[in-house]
Amino acid sequence: MKRRWILLLVLLVVLAACGGSQEPAAEPESAASADEASAFAEAPAAGEEEGSQFILATTTSTENSGLLAAILPDFEEKTGITAEVVAVGTGQALSLGESGDADVLLVHARAREDAFMEAGHGSRREDVMYNDFVIVGSPEDPADIRGMADAEQAFAAIAAAEAPFVSRGDDSGTHTKEKAIWAAAGLEPAGDWYISAGQGMGAVLTMANEELAYTLSDRATYLARTLEGTDLEILVEGDPVLFNPYGVMAVNPDKGDHIKADMAEQFIDWLISLPTQELIAEYGVEDFGSPLFTPDSEAWRAEHGQ
């Protein structure tokens, strides 16, 4: 188990070092990027018992949107189990699962999730929720994409205008979706106008705001950012290709005795249960008039006739 904590701490240090020159000055609150691992707790001291803890590797969107902070206390109160959250891109979360350095994954790249399960890295996968991606940019909208209903067309217009575009560039679920849209448009973005940040969603929204640039964002993180203040506006939305489902997976306990399989099962059962799905359905309503995520577990669909 000590190896897992050491590896995770090394990962956080590397993330902070790699993103140092690009991270906006106002973002970091510690040596590690707040967008990459803002909820990661300190590793136990040598010889200290870790107790009822498991490692949840998840995306920056579930962290930056504030969802986890809103719902995890309910799980911890009901079970006495603490989820130690590592918020990174989906690709990095999947890697942590493959290496056995996480117990549960909460991510949003369905094809990659299916591949993870088919390769035997996971023992269980469940649908959790969904929202959508949006293309945001400055009010000036130099590529004139406002109101477009086709994401591919919007990306093509941005490329044609060589208007600044900030990419996550971090192998996350959002980055995976962005690359798929470029590919569908028959384009390989390159040039000074295309900025690969290698950062989490919150940092990328900050960079796009500063650079008067476009970017692809999950709706939840964008809306959460509007509470802090941003000039970016939603310019393109509603294309079915922008659908953004989230899934939860238990890491295969065959990866070692250190895998907290029982806790992983408890967490997944709690996350997809109707009471927790209700918490997800309520999150964001007070601030935005509608939820930031739509529940989508099997139990929720059965209850609501979906």
Side-chain angles (χ1 to χ4, degrees):
M1 177 59 72
K2 291 180 181 178
R3 171 183 172 273
R4 303 174 80 195
W5 291 109
I6 292 171
L7 288 174
L8 288 169
L9 288 173
V10 169
L11 169 65
L12 296 176
V13 171
V14 169
L15 287 171
C18 290
S21 62
Q22 295 170 316
E23 181 74 6
E27 284 287 324
E29 296 180 356
S30 66
S33 164
D35 284 301
E36 297 295 344
S38 58
F40 182 72
E42 293 182 1
E48 181 181 342
E49 290 296 326
E50 291 175 31
S52 297
Q53 302 174 351
F54 71 95
I55 297 173
L56 170 63
T58 187
T59 72
T60 60
S61 59
T62 58
E63 179 67 17
N64 294 161
S65 66
L67 176 67
L68 291 181
I71 68 173
L72 281 180
D74 179 74
F75 173 74
E76 294 171 0
E77 180 180 351
K78 288 178 176 177
T79 65
I81 298 171
T82 301
E84 302 294 349
V85 178
V86 182
V88 290
T90 287
Q92 291 169 317
L94 291 170
S95 293
L96 289 173
E98 290 179 13
S99 62
D101 291 308
D103 303 296
V104 183
L105 311 181
L106 177 58
V107 294
H108 62 139
R110 184 55 192 267
R112 299 176 72 173
E113 295 167 41
D114 290 342
F116 183 89
M117 295 299 296
E118 290 169 5
H121 298 304
S123 58
R124 178 185 180 189
R125 185 202 172 277
E126 301 283 353
D127 294 331
V128 177
M129 60 192 181
Y130 63 85
N131 61 8
D132 64 342
F133 293 105
V134 292
I135 302 175
V136 300
S138 70
E140 288 79 6
D141 186 21
D144 195 25
I145 66 170
R146 186 186 299 274
M148 286 185 179
D150 188 314
E152 295 173 25
Q153 182 182 357
F155 271 31
I158 292 170
E162 295 191 350
F165 184 99
V166 181
S167 168
R168 286 279 295 269
D170 63 349
D171 197 34
S172 61
T174 305
H175 187 213
T176 297
K177 175 63 70 172
E178 180 213 319
K179 291 189 294 183
I181 297 172
W182 287 120
L187 298 169
E188 293 186 14
D192 293 340
W193 62 274
Y194 185 75
I195 305 163
S196 183
Q199 298 283 352
M201 196 70 253
V204 165
L205 287 169
T206 297
M207 293 176 66
N209 192 57
E210 293 174 347
E211 299 292 332
L212 300 178
Y214 297 99
T215 193
L216 181 71
S217 175
D218 67 282
R219 186 183 294 270
T221 305
Y222 167 75
L223 289 177
R225 179 51 58 94
T226 64
L227 297 179
E228 303 174 18
T230 181
D231 294 326
L232 298 176
E233 298 178 355
I234 295 177
L235 302 176
V236 177
E237 59 185 326
D239 186 339
V241 76
L242 297 176
F243 179 64
N244 183 29
Y246 288 75
V248 63
M249 297 181 291
V251 172
N252 194 327
D254 290 345
K255 292 186 178 292
D257 293 339
H258 62 283
I259 298 296
K260 304 290 186 65
D262 290 343
M263 293 183 193
E265 290 292 329
Q266 282 185 264
F267 176 76
I268 292 175
D269 288 343
W270 168 83
L271 187 60
I272 65 175
S273 68
L274 285 175
T276 306
Q277 293 280 288
E278 289 286 355
L279 292 177
I280 293 172
E282 294 166 2
Y283 182 68
V285 173
E286 182 176 349
D287 289 322
F288 305 108
S290 61
L292 297 192
F293 299 90
T294 299
D296 194 37
S297 74
E298 184 176 347
W300 176 270
R301 294 194 297 264
E303 177 73 11
H304 294 268
Q306 298 177 358

